[in-house]
Structure formats: C-alpha cells, structure tokens
Amino acid sequence: MVSKPQGFYQRLQELPLPAQQAFMAALCERLLPNYMLYQQTTGQGDSHTLGTVLSLVWERLNVPNASIDFARQAEKLAECEPPEEDDSFGARRALDAVVSVSALLDTLQGDSPEAVLDVSRTSRAGVRAFIELTEGEVDAQKLALIIRDHPLMDDENDFQDAVLEAVSEPLDKASLKEVRELGRNGGISNLGLSLDDVEE
C-alpha cells in the first residue's frame, strides 16, 4: 500500500494537539532502538535519559494536568545529542531520535505547528538514508524506485498510517497504552534494527 503523503500530512495537521503528540511519541518510541544501538556500539549517548523524557511525555498525555517541567527536560535532552564531530550513520540516526523527542517537547511548551510533520518526515528520511546506504552506488532514478518499493519503506508507511488511524480515535488511558505499544514495535526500529538485550 502506497501512502499518499499529501493527504496523510493534511490529516496529521488536522488532528487535535494531544493526538498529534501521541503520534509523535509513538514514532519516537520506534526511533529509540537506533539510539540505543549507537550508544551500545560507541559508548556515547544517554538512552536512559532519552527514554525517561519520552516517558514523561506519555505521563502528560495520560494526565494532562501533571506538573512536569518540560523546559528542564529539554535541557537534559540536549545533553543526549551525539558529539558534533561524529558524522557516522549511527550518530545521525541517534540524532534523529533526539531531535524528534525535542520537537515533541516544543509542542508541550508552546506553539509548534510543524513539529508533527517534522517528526514524520525525520522518520521517513532515516529509512530513506538507510536504504541508500545499503543499496550502494546506483543512479538517482533507479535509487528512487528502489526506495519507493523497498520493504522497509513499505513498513514505514504502513506503520505511520497505523499510528495515524490509532490516534484519530478518541484517546483515553487504554488507547494511549495501545498507541505506545504500537510505537515500541516489539523493540524493532524504523530501520528494522533491534536490541535483544535493551534494558527497560
């Protein structure tokens, strides 16, 4: 099934803010294993803090009047970024996770109408970059077709469609739990990577 991004993005932007936040949080959950892999292979990063900040977002979604200092959480999040000088593929995907959680925090601290689109596109772009990396040297036209028909891109589009459907329903504690579980995706990231021994 090919997702039609234009109609998809329009639907995303028309969602009420809490539904947009739940959508972003689910995508962030699916980006976390990439960050954890980066930390495990390089010794850089702080996946515990990243996961904790994301958990606080879910807490706020469940309890809208929960008193959480998201400005402070944003400061902690900034410290989770990979070192600037690390331009490896793993570092860039780890940064995707941090930037996406950061965009989500922006929506909790004020007006950030583009954040939901940014997170959706960041996740898709990571998949695209991974396919480019694994396919090697092919011409641009051929690569575009490979990306379009690639199982990982199919999976990404289906996943985002499924999350959009889930958050389009009325959200209560039970449905939020389901959306979070959907985002965790059995511990498999948007790149099809997983850590069997990731600590909760």
Side-chain angles (χ1 to χ4, degrees):
M1 186 181 83
V2 178
S3 179
K4 299 177 185 65
Q6 217 33 60
F8 176 88
Y9 289 136
Q10 190 176 347
R11 283 183 64 195
L12 260 189
Q13 283 197 293
E14 287 168 359
L15 288 172
L17 185 58
Q20 289 187 5
Q21 289 164 340
F23 176 89
M24 288 186 272
L27 265 61
C28 289
E29 289 283 356
R30 196 159 171 260
L31 294 175
L32 274 182
N34 295 333
Y35 187 96
M36 290 166 170
L37 271 169
Y38 171 74
Q39 182 177 337
Q40 193 180 57
T41 52
T42 66
Q44 303 275 5
D46 182 355
S47 57
H48 177 73
T49 295
L50 189 60
T52 301
V53 173
L54 190 52
S55 291
L56 288 171
V57 172
W58 287 110
E59 187 180 323
R60 167 61 71 83
L61 286 169
N62 274 298
V63 186
N65 57 359
S67 177
I68 299 167
D69 182 353
F70 283 111
R72 176 77 191 98
Q73 298 308 319
E75 287 169 20
K76 289 184 189 174
L77 197 59
E79 292 163 18
C80 294
E81 289 188 10
E84 265 183 50
E85 63 275 11
D86 188 348
D87 194 33
S88 65
F89 182 82
R92 291 202 295 273
R93 300 294 72 82
L95 186 61
D96 284 349
V98 178
V99 166
S100 296
V101 176
S102 181
L104 175 50
L105 289 191
D106 287 345
T107 67
L108 289 153
Q109 297 180 85
D111 196 28
S112 189
E114 293 292 311
V116 71
L117 302 184
D118 291 342
V119 172
S120 169
R121 288 174 180 145
T122 295
S123 186
R124 283 189 216 269
V127 175
R128 195 175 301 116
F130 187 65
I131 296 167
E132 286 173 4
L133 182 77
T134 52
E135 287 301 323
E137 293 295 318
V138 290
D139 70 70
Q141 208 171 359
K142 197 170 173 187
L143 185 61
L145 290 174
I146 290 170
I147 290 169
R148 191 193 69 188
D149 298 331
H150 199 283
L152 273 178
M153 191 52 87
D154 269 349
D155 187 54
E156 176 68 16
N157 291 332
D158 288 348
F159 172 77
Q160 291 206 24
D161 286 343
V163 177
L164 176 59
E165 290 306 322
V167 300
S168 297
E169 301 296 321
L171 291 174
D172 55 22
K173 284 190 179 176
S175 56
L176 280 167
K177 190 177 177 186
E178 284 170 18
V179 172
R180 187 175 191 181
E181 207 51 48
L182 184 62
R184 284 183 166 164
N185 201 39
I188 299 167
S189 80
N190 62 332
L191 308 182
L193 305 174
S194 69
L195 279 177
D196 294 328
D197 51 354
V198 172
E199 291 174 7
E200 274 300 307

